[in-house]
Each structure stands twice: as C-alpha cells, then as structure tokens.
Amino acid sequence: MTKRRQTIARRLVEAQQTAAMLTTFNEADMTAIMALRERRKEAFKKEFGVGLGIASFFVKASIAALRAFPAINAEIQGDEIVYKHYYDIGVAVGAEGGLVVPVIRDADQMTFPQIEMAIRDYAKKATDNTLTLEDLRGGTFTITNGGVFGSLLSTPILNPPQVAILGLHKIQDRVIPVNGQPAIRPMMYLALSYDHRIVDGREAVQFLVKIKDYSEDPNNLLLEA
C-alpha cells in the first residue's frame, strides 16, 4: 500500500474501533436548489469565475445546523467533551489512491463563491497531487458526496476525532406525494454517521432534519447568514 492508503486504512480502522458509530438517514427534495442553480449559474460563473454546485449549499446548511447542535461540532479528549466554536469543514474529494479530505477553514465566514472556489482549488490540488498536510489537518465536521460516483445510498465512516460526517448521494427523480398528489421530484438521500458516545440519537435525527429543511428551502440560509 502507498503511504496515503496506509494512513487512510489506519484512520478507518481507528474510527470503527473507538467510536460507537451509528447512522441516521433522511431524504431531501432538491427542486429548490436545482431551480436556484439553474437561474443563477450563468451569472454566477460570469461574476465569480467558478460554477455554482450543491456543495456550497450543504456547507452553509451544515454550519447553520452545527450552531443549533454544538455537540456535533465537538470532539472527545479523554473524559472531556471539547466544544469548538469555529467551523472548519472538511470536504471529501477524489484523488489518485483514494479520497482525501481537505479542510475549508472558518467556512462560516465565507460566501458561496468563496466556498466554491476553495473546493475547486482543493480538487485541482488533489488531481495534481499537491495537497499539503496543512490542507488536510484538523477539521470539525466532514461532508462527503458519493453521489458524484453514482452512489444512491451509503453509510459514511467517521473522520476521527470528529464525531459526525454528512453523506450526500445521487440526485434521482422519484415519485413522492406533494399536497396529496403524486409528483416526480429530484430526490437525494442524506446520511449522518455519528459517535453515539457524545451525540444522542435525537440530536442526530434533528440535525439531519435541519439539513433537509435548509436544502428544501435554501432561502433560509440567507436568513441564517
């Protein structure tokens, strides 16, 4: 194994052996986000030089939800719970030899374009194999999107010492009830894996419901900001 693969393997085994890991699931109707992206994508790209993806929405939604549930942004050190009042969000990107998780520092202070540019730059560095240890160090919460590879549903593994990770998946048209009538909507399954030693099931479920609510009505993210 390469050194990177050895490190990934060691950390995954560590997460399985040390955390009381559970996963809760929900689904989100992506109609509003996709409509907003469609309306704004050309002007956004022209003004900022970067595309408007879904990642920035979920980074913003995660920060708003983490504020409401601070234990999910914390970590365990010995017998202590350390609450972090900053938001360094790891975003998993594909690289040769496996996924890596560069960290967007102080993401709560960044705009949508700044988040999109940070993700683009990290993706390029991952492709060029120029990511540094500083790029990968720390992080308080992680988002991973298996949907870009076609995954419909998965159980993400924690990134220690973080106590939760949000998994995004493939957006797929499905028939759901809307106002009592069947309708075809672009749906995405959401997954939150969490460490039950510090995060209760109720908190995890409510956190994921908040992510769902923000993604289905992204205008609320402006109010949070």
Side-chain angles (χ1 to χ4, degrees), residues 9-164:
R10 176 177 53 79
R11 290 178 62 81
L12 293 179
V13 171
E14 176 188 346
Q16 294 276 23
Q17 291 180 340
T18 61
M21 191 166 66
L22 296 176
T23 305
T24 185
F25 301 94
N26 212 315
E27 62 181 353
D29 183 344
M30 298 293 289
T31 299
I33 286 180
M34 293 180 71
L36 178 57
R37 288 179 64 207
E38 184 63 28
R39 291 195 306 270
R40 293 290 301 158
K41 65 180 182 181
E42 290 186 10
F44 191 93
K45 180 67 179 272
K46 183 177 180 180
E47 183 172 357
F48 302 111
V50 66
L52 177 59
I54 68 168
S56 54
F57 288 94
F58 283 97
V59 169
K60 287 288 190 180
S62 295
I63 292 166
L66 289 169
R67 285 195 174 109
F69 300 96
I72 297 176
N73 200 50
E75 70 175 68
I76 297 174
Q77 293 183 7
D79 294 328
E80 303 290 331
I81 297 174
V82 178
Y83 291 92
K84 301 173 183 177
H85 301 289
Y86 58 94
Y87 303 91
D88 290 351
I89 307 299
V91 178
V93 297
E96 186 177 352
L99 289 177
V100 291
V101 187
V103 178
I104 302 173
R105 313 284 173 190
D106 297 317
D108 57 311
Q109 300 177 29
M110 299 174 71
T111 63
F112 278 80
Q114 288 172 330
I115 292 171
E116 291 290 352
M117 285 186 278
I119 294 171
R120 177 200 61 189
D121 293 346
Y122 277 143
K124 184 177 187 304
K125 291 175 76 172
T127 300
D128 297 341
N129 200 29
T130 57
L131 285 168
T132 67
L133 288 177
E134 181 62 23
D135 293 331
L136 305 173
R137 180 184 60 80
T140 64
F141 182 79
T142 293
I143 300 171
T144 182
N145 185 0
V148 298
F149 305 111
S151 172
L152 185 61
L153 188 63
S154 65
T155 303
I157 298 178
L158 295 178
N159 183 20
Q162 297 171 29
V163 298

